[in-house]
């Protein structure tokens, strides 16, 4: 799956992904009002893994933004 196809699946799930000019990030806004800046590298990894379930992609994107708790 390519990056455009990934955006298509996200769009169908109600998620907007807009490139941030001058950076390698995308601004992702979710239906529940949350938003995040995601690196293009992460989006490309999702596209390459051919994950076609929008809910899995959305959950992965949300998890990528969560702060990691020290152990």
């Amino acid at each position: 799956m390519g990056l455009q196809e990934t955006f298509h699946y996200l769009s169908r799930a109600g998620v907007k992904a807009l490139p941030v000019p001058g950076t390698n990030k995308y601004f992702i806004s979710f239906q529940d009002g949350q938003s995040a800046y995601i690196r293009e590298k992460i989006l490309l990894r999702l596209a390459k893994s051919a994950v076609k379930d929008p809910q899995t992609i959305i959950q992965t994107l949300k998890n990528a933004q969560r702060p990691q708790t020290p152990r």
Side-chain angles (χ1 to χ4, degrees), residues 2-63:
L3 196 55
Q4 291 296 342
E5 216 174 339
T6 302
F7 289 145
H8 174 73
Y9 284 110
L10 290 174
S11 175
R12 286 181 48 199
V15 176
K16 294 179 184 175
L18 302 170
V20 178
T23 70
N24 64 348
K25 295 181 181 181
Y26 283 81
F27 177 74
I28 310 291
S29 57
F30 301 98
Q31 280 186 329
D32 63 3
Q34 287 184 310
S35 61
Y37 288 96
I38 304 292
R39 288 185 174 185
E40 184 177 44
K41 184 177 177 180
I42 292 172
L43 288 175
L44 288 172
R45 270 193 230 144
L46 284 173
K48 286 181 182 179
S49 68
V51 177
K52 292 190 178 184
D53 177 23
Q55 295 306 318
T56 302
I57 294 171
I58 292 167
Q59 193 59 45
T60 303
L61 290 172
K62 285 183 178 183
N63 289 341

